[in-house]
């Protein structure tokens, strides 16, 4: 039940993103989507990616929007413990995993 509620919120946010004509409204939608992704990455990713990934090329002049989209994708695909980790820590973890 909770997943379907979140999915509904994601779809409404994506509608706002897609239908908005003002950049500020689109940016606000991306911020809202990122917040949803932080709490529910597994629900957000399959619903949002088909809409926001193509927006990366469409929004290439708006750095703030690009950053928000990339951060949303990052939240969905990188496990939480690795977010914010420095590159050497991630590299060490990858080496440890490959040697097992």
């Amino acid at each position: 039940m909770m997943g379907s509620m979140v999915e509904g919120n994601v779809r409404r946010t994506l509608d706002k993103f897609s239908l908005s004509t003002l950049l500020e409204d689109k940016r606000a939608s991306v911020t809202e989507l990122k917040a949803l992704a932080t709490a529910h990455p597994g629900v957000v990713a399959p619903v949002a990616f088909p809409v926001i990934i193509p927006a990366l090329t469409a929004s290439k002049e708006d750095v703030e929007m690009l950053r928000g989209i990339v951060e949303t994708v990052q939240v969905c695909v990188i496990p939480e413990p690795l977010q914010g980790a420095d590159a050497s820590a991630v590299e060490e973890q990858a080496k440890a995993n490959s040697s097992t």
Side-chain angles (χ1 to χ4, degrees):
M1 183 71 162
M2 176 74 153
S4 64
M5 233 166 80
V6 172
E7 185 176 332
N9 288 339
V10 171
R11 290 188 188 283
R12 279 188 292 283
T13 302
L14 289 170
D15 284 345
K16 284 191 261 181
F17 175 79
S18 298
L19 300 173
S20 294
T21 55
L22 297 175
L23 281 176
E24 294 79 24
D25 293 342
K26 285 188 176 285
R27 289 180 191 138
S29 296
V30 170
T31 300
E32 188 176 335
L33 195 58
K34 181 181 171 189
L36 288 166
T38 300
H40 308 282
V43 176
V44 173
V47 178
F49 282 13
V51 176
I52 65 173
I53 298 296
L56 286 169
T57 55
S59 305
K60 62 185 172 189
E61 300 299 318
D62 186 350
V63 176
E64 188 176 335
M65 177 107 59
L66 288 173
R67 181 179 295 121
I69 293 170
V70 169
E71 288 174 353
T72 300
V73 170
Q74 177 184 5
V75 165
C76 290
V77 299
I78 297 178
E80 193 173 325
L82 293 180
Q83 291 182 21
D86 64 56
S88 61
V90 172
E91 205 172 280
E92 287 177 31
Q93 182 64 40
K95 285 179 186 176
N97 289 344
S98 65
S99 67
T100 56

